[in-house]
């Protein structure tokens, strides 16, 4: 009898001291990206200057577990690429046409690019290091960059800036890495993308 009472007492203590052992796993919440409030800013440089612009998101989501970012996927419409610094309409159209051509993003064959988060490293507060696979022209490469993720009254706001090597995505036009003696017509291999995301449940 005493042995039974002792066992019952141990169970009671275990329940009181470690109730988490009897609680199921936390549910991961999915936040849908608001494509009207989100987007990608890009910047590319060449010997004689630089150009910048935007690309629209067509779809995306963020996964939040216990209030922390754990994953996410994003799809970008490469045919929506815009250059914001060229004021001459004709030159702007010519430039964008070249960006969509086979020399660069070949949007006729590869109309979308994607980014999928594979690892999230908390750095304290709202700061994270994000690692994921960036896919452009059907080619995927891992990239890591710092990001800020904030919880708002309506959902999640996140932003991060990454530097990409365009030659890793078979975009070699004007690259000194592949074409010699191009002088001031050279375009640098690295370009930056800044992703800004607003998402809600």
């Amino acid at each position: 009898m005493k042995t039974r009472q002792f066992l019952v007492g141990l169970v009671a203590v275990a329940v009181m001291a470690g109730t988490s052992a009897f609680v199921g796993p936390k549910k991961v919440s999915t936040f849908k990206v608001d494509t009207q409030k989100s987007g990608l800013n890009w910047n590319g440089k060449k010997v004689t200057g630089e150009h910048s612009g935007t690309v629209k998101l067509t779809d995306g989501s963020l996964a939040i577990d216990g209030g922390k970012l754990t994953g996410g996927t994003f799809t970008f419409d490469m045919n929506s690429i815009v250059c914001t610094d060229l004021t001459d309409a004709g030159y702007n159209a010519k430039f964008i046409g070249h960006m969509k051509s086979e020399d660069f993003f070949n949007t006729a064959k590869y109309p979308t690019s994607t980014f999928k988060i594979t690892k999230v490293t908390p750095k304290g507060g709202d700061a994270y290091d994000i690692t994921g696979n960036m896919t452009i022209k059907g080619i995927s490469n891992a990239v890591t960059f710092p990001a800020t993720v904030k919880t708002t009254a309506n959902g999640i706001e996140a932003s991060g800036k990454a530097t990409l090597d365009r030659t890793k995505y078979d975009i070699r036009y004007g690259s000194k890495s592949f074409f010699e003696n191009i002088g001031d017509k050279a375009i640098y291999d690295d370009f930056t993308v800044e992703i800004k995301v607003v998402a809600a449940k």
Side-chain angles (χ1 to χ4, degrees):
M1 188 67 178
K2 291 183 178 181
T3 301
R4 182 180 178 183
Q5 291 177 338
F6 177 72
L7 291 174
V8 170
L10 283 180
V11 171
V13 171
V15 170
M16 294 297 293
T19 54
S20 61
F22 299 92
V23 177
K26 295 179 181 178
K27 183 180 179 181
V28 177
S29 299
T30 299
F31 288 74
K32 183 74 172 178
V33 170
D34 185 335
T35 58
Q36 299 301 311
K37 297 179 180 179
S38 307
L40 178 149
N41 296 323
W42 59 266
N43 176 268
K45 297 182 179 181
K46 54 185 180 178
V47 173
T48 57
E50 62 184 286
H51 294 298
S52 57
T54 62
V55 174
K56 293 181 179 179
L57 272 79
T58 61
D59 192 25
S61 63
L62 292 172
I64 305 296
D65 187 354
K68 298 295 184 180
L69 177 67
T70 58
T73 59
F74 310 94
T75 301
F76 306 95
D77 176 10
M78 298 308 295
N79 279 303
S80 71
I81 187 169
V82 170
C83 179
T84 55
D85 65 276
L86 293 174
T87 56
D88 182 276
Y91 186 36
N92 192 310
K94 184 178 180 181
F95 176 82
I96 291 300
H98 197 192
M99 290 294 100
K100 294 181 178 181
S101 74
E102 294 182 9
D103 283 341
F104 287 92
F105 295 104
N106 194 2
T107 60
K109 185 175 181 180
Y110 304 102
T112 62
S113 295
T114 61
F115 180 70
K116 182 177 182 180
I117 297 174
T118 58
K119 181 180 179 182
V120 179
T121 305
K123 305 297 287 186
D126 298 329
Y128 293 82
D129 277 346
I130 305 295
T131 298
N133 292 322
M134 180 70 76
T135 302
I136 301 173
K137 295 179 68 175
I139 302 170
S140 297
N141 289 288
V143 58
T144 299
F145 58 91
T148 300
V149 182
K150 296 181 179 180
T151 301
T152 67
N154 299 318
I156 300 292
E157 292 185 1
S159 63
K161 188 175 184 180
T163 299
L164 307 178
D165 181 348
R166 65 188 178 94
T167 64
K168 291 184 178 180
Y169 301 94
D170 195 31
I171 304 173
R172 302 179 179 183
Y173 182 88
S175 171
K176 280 188 174 181
S177 300
F178 295 91
F179 302 96
E180 298 179 357
N181 303 319
I182 55 177
D184 61 6
K185 293 183 179 181
I187 302 170
Y188 295 122
D189 292 343
D190 287 347
F191 69 103
T192 60
V193 293
E194 184 174 4
I195 304 173
K196 296 182 179 180
V197 173
V198 176
K201 282 187 176 180

